Amino acid sequence: MPTETLPELTTAYPIDAEQVAAYRAQGFLRLSGVADAGDAAAYRGPIAAAVERLSTETRPLAERDSYGMAFLQVMNLWRHDESVARFVMASRFADVAARLLGVPRVRLYHDQALFKEPGGGYTPWHQDAMYWPLDGARCLTMWMPLVDITPAHGGLAFATGSHVDGPLSDIGISDASEEHFDRLVAEGGLVVDEPVAMRAGDASFHSGWTVHKALGNTSAQMREVMTVIWFADGLTVLEPANSAQANDLATWLPGLAPGDVAASPANPALGAASG
């Protein structure tokens, strides 16, 4: 399908004050029909094709560590494919992000496709912002399946309220992070919001510091998920707290240094207020 014929995704998705309050209290929000079935189907092909073209993972599942078994991960597809860029830049999605963050507009950090193969392993508990040289409370991720999924496909679970204390670990996604956060969740008495069935085009939004994980894929179908990460426009780059953040600074905020406004050419302003 030619890029110009793909859905524009510019019509607003309504978010009310109660949903904003729920996101801020819980650290996540699940929404139905952020893209309708036709929208999701239209973009599934271009995104899947880009993943197949750009993925560098060739090892069998049995030869990978827990991180490698969790998913096929391809980042910043928008820089390589015009059709994917149309999806990633959609004002409908960015406006939801801005509303939840309480800001006029957001900037793109990066996108990433997370395709979990049949038989793929679990994604251990982690906090995304451990990797980001930004204020994680002012960043969020949209996680959208492009196909209908059940928990058995590798659904996402959240530790409710785990975002309020900011960074809880400096451990990357691994069996060690699973053990660490399992203990913190239990000791803190945090309620785990378990994975749910989702239709193609449904989405969850979670804060940078929200502790979350995904189940393994015990189905016979690829779990095709596209994610987009945004941050509030106007954030400044922080001094990297670890090597992962130093790598992210060089990769996703190119040319910037700690103290700079996070607004490189790789981080376009998005949302209705950006025009």
Side-chain angles (χ1 to χ4, degrees):
M1 181 182 293
T3 298
E4 61 272 13
T5 65
L6 288 167
E8 291 186 347
L9 302 173
T10 54
T11 55
Y13 183 92
I15 295 289
D16 61 32
E18 187 174 315
Q19 290 171 312
V20 173
Y23 168 80
R24 295 177 185 177
Q26 298 175 159
F28 68 91
L29 185 67
R30 301 184 191 270
L31 297 171
S32 299
V34 179
D36 66 28
D39 295 338
Y43 280 100
R44 178 190 176 193
I47 291 172
V51 169
E52 183 174 2
R53 187 171 72 250
L54 298 169
S55 176
T56 59
E57 180 57 80
T58 59
R59 297 170 297 170
L61 280 169
E63 295 179 11
R64 305 180 206 168
D65 61 13
S66 292
Y67 189 98
M69 289 181 67
F71 38 59
L72 297 175
Q73 181 181 42
V74 184
M75 301 184 181
N76 253 21
L77 278 73
W78 78 275
R79 302 298 294 268
H80 303 279
D81 189 286
E82 290 184 356
S83 294
V84 180
R86 190 177 177 96
F87 178 94
V88 172
M89 301 297 175
S91 62
R92 181 187 304 168
F93 305 152
D95 285 343
V96 173
R99 180 88 168 92
L100 296 177
L101 289 174
V103 296
R105 66 180 189 174
V106 292
R107 286 187 178 271
L108 177 67
Y109 190 49
H110 66 82
D111 68 58
Q112 55 182 352
L114 300 175
F115 279 33
K116 192 181 288 284
E117 300 149 287
Y122 81 116
T123 307
W125 284 122
H126 62 283
Q127 292 177 298
D128 293 339
M130 191 282 289
Y131 291 90
W132 305 339
L134 296 167
D135 177 0
R138 309 295 289 158
C139 309
L140 83 175
T141 299
M142 179 184 77
W143 194 94
M144 178 181 286
L146 303 173
V147 294
D148 295 349
I149 64 170
T150 68
H153 290 90
L156 211 56
F158 302 100
T160 303
S162 56
H163 63 303
V164 297
D165 291 322
L168 300 173
S169 168
D170 204 24
I171 305 171
I173 301 174
S174 61
D175 292 334
S177 71
E178 175 75 6
E179 181 180 348
H180 173 80
F181 285 114
D182 253 346
R183 184 175 65 255
L184 287 186
V185 168
E187 291 175 351
L190 298 178
V191 175
V192 175
D193 193 87
E194 299 289 354
V196 299
M198 300 176 72
R199 303 299 299 269
D202 291 350
S204 61
F205 289 75
H206 64 269
S207 174
W209 291 124
T210 300
V211 177
H212 60 289
K213 66 182 295 182
L215 302 180
N217 186 355
T218 58
S219 79
Q221 177 190 27
M222 179 79 81
R223 187 208 69 184
E224 301 174 35
V225 165
M226 187 62 181
T227 72
V228 184
I229 306 165
W230 303 271
F231 58 88
D233 186 31
L235 290 191
T236 56
V237 179
L238 302 180
E239 186 71 39
N242 53 51
S243 59
Q245 290 186 10
N247 180 70
D248 260 33
L249 172 55
T251 304
W252 311 125
L253 300 164
L256 300 184
D260 289 345
V261 175
S264 84
N267 312 115
L270 300 173
S274 66

